Amino acid sequence: STDNCGIQSFSIDITDFDCDNIGPNNVILTVVDAYGNSSMATAVVTIAESENPVAITQNVTISLDANGMASITPAQIDNGSTDNCGIMDLSLDIMDFDCSHIGDNTVTLTVTDNYGNSNSSLATVTVEDNTAPVPFIDPLPDINEECTSTPIAPDANDNCAGVILATPDVTF
């Protein structure tokens, strides 16, 4: 801006921007000379949001159900992730677990903000099988005192395949 007798002041109508101003914004520049004459012009100020969110995770322990399955949600792994202009989405790379996942499993939480910026963090999901096997001898055979019949070996089903050890507790 120029003036033949000198410029006394410059001012703009918008000086502070926040997340509500992301994108193009019309700003009016007013120039006043030493004698009070003024002129205005409009400029476009484009605000970009390029700051990645902060992904914060927590470890969790889950138990398999009677079918040998368990699931988690991103909210269970998230531990207060933040972003300067708001979070749009939380996602996990692994959400479903089965008997093959017993023990510690590393999952990745990805946090995406309202403007497409993202960041990820790791967490440990410990998968446990706390479901006892279910015996399926029904009805149990009668065993007489003289042991004249051959006992039937006990058998059972389990939510996770594996060796099931039968420990009979029979005394005569």
Side-chain angles (χ1 to χ4, degrees):
S1 299
T2 60
D3 185 77
N4 62 341
C5 293
I7 296 174
Q8 179 180 355
S9 66
F10 295 92
S11 64
I12 54 176
D13 65 334
I14 302 172
T15 58
D16 296 317
F17 300 90
D18 60 23
C19 295
D20 294 332
N21 303 109
I22 303 295
N25 297 273
N26 290 328
V27 176
I28 299 172
L29 169 67
T30 303
V31 179
V32 179
D33 70 11
Y35 297 100
N37 300 310
S38 65
S39 181
M40 295 186 296
T42 301
V44 176
V45 175
T46 302
I47 305 299
E49 201 285 294
S50 58
E51 186 173 323
N52 288 334
V54 176
I56 303 170
T57 59
Q58 62 186 346
N59 300 332
V60 297
T61 299
I62 59 174
S63 295
L64 297 174
D65 64 15
N67 296 316
M69 304 294 294
S71 296
I72 58 171
T73 64
Q76 288 174 279
I77 299 300
D78 182 47
N79 195 25
S81 299
T82 61
D83 184 72
N84 61 330
C85 286
I87 293 173
M88 179 180 65
D89 185 51
L90 299 172
S91 63
L92 286 171
D93 62 336
I94 304 171
M95 295 188 345
D96 298 317
F97 299 88
D98 59 28
C99 297
S100 68
H101 296 102
I102 292 174
D104 291 343
N105 301 270
T106 301
V107 298
T108 303
L109 175 72
T110 301
V111 180
T112 305
D113 72 13
N114 293 323
Y115 297 96
N117 304 305
S118 65
N119 198 2
S120 298
S121 185
L122 302 176
T124 300
V125 176
T126 302
V127 178
E128 296 178 341
D129 175 22
N130 296 322
T131 303
V134 178
F136 60 87
I137 299 174
D138 187 31
L140 293 173
D142 291 334
I143 301 174
N144 64 31
E145 316 173 348
E146 297 158 7
C147 291
T148 57
S149 63
T150 305
I152 297 173
D155 205 356
N157 284 330
D158 188 39
N159 63 332
C160 292
V163 176
I164 299 173
L165 300 174
T167 54
D169 187 15
V170 178
T171 56
F172 294 99

